[in-house]
């Protein structure tokens, strides 16, 4: 998982992430990774509109956000 997060950070990608909080609740978030330090990472969470710190072990799944180009008429 850490390798995927590092690649996404290097490529400046937005990610959709499934994350399990300490209390066991699962949430889906759209994030952009700022930095990775040890077993955690800091990212801007577009769901909460704030910088958040996440534990890598609590990340259930990540997928890059695919942007469809809009056609200019």
């Amino acid at each position: 998982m850490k390798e995927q997060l590092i690649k996404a950070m290097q490529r400046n990608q937005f990610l959709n992430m499934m994350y399990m909080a300490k209390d066991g609740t699962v949430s889906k978030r759209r994030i952009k990774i700022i930095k990775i330090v040890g077993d955690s990472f800091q990212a801007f969470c577009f769901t909460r509109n704030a910088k958040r710190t996440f534990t890598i072990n609590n990340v259930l799944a990540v997928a890059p956000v695919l942007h469809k180009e809009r056609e200019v008429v």
Side-chain angles (χ1 to χ4, degrees):
M1 182 62 68
K2 191 171 185 176
E3 294 81 21
Q4 284 180 299
L5 297 173
I6 291 170
K7 282 182 186 178
M9 183 179 71
Q10 291 170 340
R11 295 176 182 163
N12 245 358
Q13 285 182 321
F14 294 97
L15 297 173
N16 284 325
M17 173 179 74
M18 293 297 290
Y19 186 76
M20 185 170 62
K22 290 178 185 175
D23 64 0
T25 58
V26 177
S27 63
K28 181 180 178 185
R29 296 167 182 251
R30 180 164 291 182
I31 62 165
K32 183 172 187 292
I33 299 173
I34 298 168
K35 66 180 176 179
I36 300 173
V37 180
D39 292 336
S40 63
F41 64 97
Q42 190 177 58
F44 186 83
C45 177
F46 292 96
T47 307
R48 303 269 190 237
N49 264 342
K51 282 185 188 176
R52 299 285 179 155
T53 301
F54 300 98
T55 305
I56 293 173
N57 291 338
N58 290 357
V59 176
L60 303 174
V62 292
V65 175
L66 302 175
H67 293 285
K68 293 183 180 177
E69 292 186 28
R70 295 180 184 212
E71 192 176 314
V72 178
V73 179

